[in-house]
Amino acid sequence: MSRGKVIITGGCGYIGSHTSVELIKNKFDVVIFDDLSNSKEFIMDRIYQIAGVKPAFEKVDLSNPIEADRAYYKHSDAHSIINFAAFKAVGESVEKPILYYKNNLYTLINSIEAQKKYGIKNFIFSSSATVYGNPNRLPITESFQTKRAFSPYGNSKKIAEEILEDFSKAYPEFKTISLRYFNPIGAHESGLIGELPNGIPNNLLPYVTQCAAGVLKELQVFGNDYNTKDGTPIRDYVHVVDLAKAHVKALERLLSGNMKENYDVYNLGTGKGVTVMDIINTFEKVTKEKINYRITKRRAGDVQALFASAEKAKNNLGWEATLSLENMIETSWNWEKTFRDM
Ligand code: UFG
């Protein structure tokens, strides 16, 4: 029996597509809203190939209030919205702040407005560890103060969380969970879905796989003078399939009626810190491919070390990351090869 309808905004994207698969596997009816500005419609067929059900699909620009209302009205029988739809290139957001604030925040506001208008009770927001800025202690727990992020992209996440908190205070019948992702990498084990970076990637893993595939010539390692074991920055890399499963757990929490507060936040990470050199060395070991890399100067805005305390998600959601760094790298590389052959 169906567990009801869930709207996934940005469901053709990287984390959205993996989450759609997990929701279908867990018997939810998935409807994807996507404007396909940074994703491809064939991902719908891939979701079908993996999960055996093709989600309903609406091509909609959610930053446009009329388009957004039309789509939400059509699917107003949904009980939940999971909001992935957003622009996410940190560097581009510094150059085009208005574009980022407009797209990311209008999309959010139009979605919660529809939520209220149509009585869609539950909301999950895809947030980021970037809301913690440069923390002075580690691991990062959810009680750490959030800070103004370095980039408009990051700041749009922080502002969005504040909007959602205010919304849930004003309208207690609506429940919201913000999930703060650390560094999502990896791809589905089938090799059918994964990250599809637009142009030259900003993030480490897609850059590494494209170097190994010969698409890019050289990886720049942005600084080896940090105070870490090998001088390169530490991050908490988490498998996208683990992240996708956390959304199912968060949804179950919202539906359970067991939430003490009607707005809550969770870190999603492994709790383990990994350096850039660890990534390169593990990649070379797992794939037997060489990475042509060069140490360059630090990238503006990078912080030395970030890793999560994932205790709260474990205790309240019953979620824990289970997939290894080797698996993250292997599936990323497998996806890179498959998608190049498409
Ligand atoms: N790095 C390189 N070379 C590259 C790319 C990255 O050395 O070509 C290094 C960075 O300096 C950093 C690490 O690899 O130390 C990870 O960098 P990413 O760009 O992959 O990820 P970030 O940690 O900078 O950013 C990620 C998400 C953002 C989010 C942020 C929150 O991509 O969306 O975490 O902390 F805002």
Side-chain angles (χ1 to χ4, degrees), residues 2 9 43 51 106 137 142 146 151 165-166 190 197 220 233 236 257 271-272 278 282 299-302 334:
S2 162
T9 81
I43 293 298
Y106 282 11
R137 276 178 301 129
E142 290 81 352
T146 60
S151 68
E165 194 170 358
D166 290 344
S190 63
Q220 295 184 48
D236 185 338
K272 290 188 207 100
D278 287 333
T282 312
R299 183 170 68 177
D302 271 350
N334 186 32

Side-chain angles (χ1 to χ4, degrees), residues 103-147:
N103 183 67
N104 293 2
L105 297 177
Y106 282 11
T107 292
L108 177 80
I109 289 168
N110 292 334
S111 295
I112 57 177
E113 207 160 31
Q115 210 196 337
K116 182 161 178 296
K117 186 168 170 188
Y118 300 117
I120 304 173
K121 290 280 184 287
N122 309 296
F123 198 88
I124 297 176
F125 179 65
S126 73
S127 188
S128 164
T130 194
V131 300
Y132 295 115
N134 193 357
N136 38 27
R137 276 178 301 129
L138 290 165
I140 299 169
T141 66
E142 290 81 352
S143 62
F144 281 27
Q145 179 119 43
T146 60
K147 295 182 190 150

Side-chain angles (χ1 to χ4, degrees), residues 258-332:
N258 289 338
M259 268 171 71
K260 285 195 200 82
E261 311 285 338
N262 60 334
Y263 178 75
D264 212 353
V265 298
Y266 290 95
N267 286 343
L268 297 182
T270 62
K272 290 188 207 100
V274 167
T275 67
V276 174
M277 285 314 300
D278 287 333
I279 292 279
I280 295 173
N281 294 334
T282 312
F283 186 91
E284 291 189 337
K285 198 176 94 202
V286 168
T287 66
K288 315 271 184 272
E289 301 284 338
K290 283 304 279 177
I291 299 296
N292 182 26
Y293 71 88
R294 183 166 57 95
I295 310 288
T296 60
K297 63 179 184 1
R298 292 181 177 195
R299 183 170 68 177
D302 271 350
V303 303
Q304 175 163 289
L306 284 179
F307 58 91
S309 158
E311 286 303 301
K312 187 177 170 192
K314 187 176 168 188
N315 294 335
N316 294 4
L317 303 181
W319 174 85
E320 219 176 342
T322 57
L323 296 164
S324 65
L325 184 63
E326 284 74 12
N327 187 292
M328 300 182 213
I329 287 178
E330 218 175 310
T331 52
S332 293

Side-chain angles (χ1 to χ4, degrees), residues 30-209:
V30 171
V31 183
I32 289 180
F33 289 3
D34 205 305
D35 68 355
L36 302 175
S37 63
N38 194 19
S39 58
K40 298 274 185 281
E41 200 172 348
F42 74 78
I43 293 298
M44 299 290 302
D45 297 318
R46 299 302 179 85
I47 293 172
Y48 171 65
Q49 284 178 53
I50 301 168
V53 175
K54 194 166 176 176
F57 177 70
E58 301 292 338
K59 184 170 184 302
V60 49
D61 172 5
L62 293 169
S63 69
N64 175 321
I66 297 165
E67 277 191 41
D69 184 66
R70 198 178 299 140
Y72 280 114
Y73 171 70
K74 191 169 164 191
H75 295 283
S76 54
D77 54 337
H79 56 60
S80 306
I81 299 169
I82 306 186
N83 182 92
F84 294 103
F87 291 159
K88 60 171 186 177
V90 175
E92 185 187 49
S93 79
V94 176
E95 286 155 30
K96 301 176 183 167
I98 298 172
L99 179 73
Y100 270 68
Y101 285 122
K102 209 167 144 184
N103 183 67
N104 293 2
L105 297 177
Y106 282 11
T107 292
L108 177 80
I109 289 168
N110 292 334
S111 295
I112 57 177
E113 207 160 31
Q115 210 196 337
K116 182 161 178 296
K117 186 168 170 188
Y118 300 117
I120 304 173
K121 290 280 184 287
N122 309 296
F123 198 88
I124 297 176
F125 179 65
S126 73
S127 188
S128 164
T130 194
V131 300
Y132 295 115
N134 193 357
N136 38 27
R137 276 178 301 129
L138 290 165
I140 299 169
T141 66
E142 290 81 352
S143 62
F144 281 27
Q145 179 119 43
T146 60
K147 295 182 190 150
R148 193 200 186 288
F150 165 73
S151 68
Y153 155 77
N155 210 36
S156 77
K157 294 289 179 193
K158 179 175 180 284
I159 296 168
E161 283 199 13
E162 289 165 358
I163 292 172
L164 287 166
E165 194 170 358
D166 290 344
F167 176 80
S168 347
K169 269 190 203 140
Y171 309 109
E173 66 274 33
F174 295 98
K175 308 241 175 285
T176 305
I177 290 181
S178 289
L179 297 175
R180 294 173 176 164
Y181 312 146
F182 280 67
N183 288 58
I185 60 170
H188 196 267
E189 60 175 359
S190 63
L192 290 168
I193 53 175
E195 188 169 11
L196 277 172
N198 215 348
I200 297 175
N202 301 293
N203 294 117
L204 180 61
L205 232 287
Y207 212 103
V208 166
T209 57

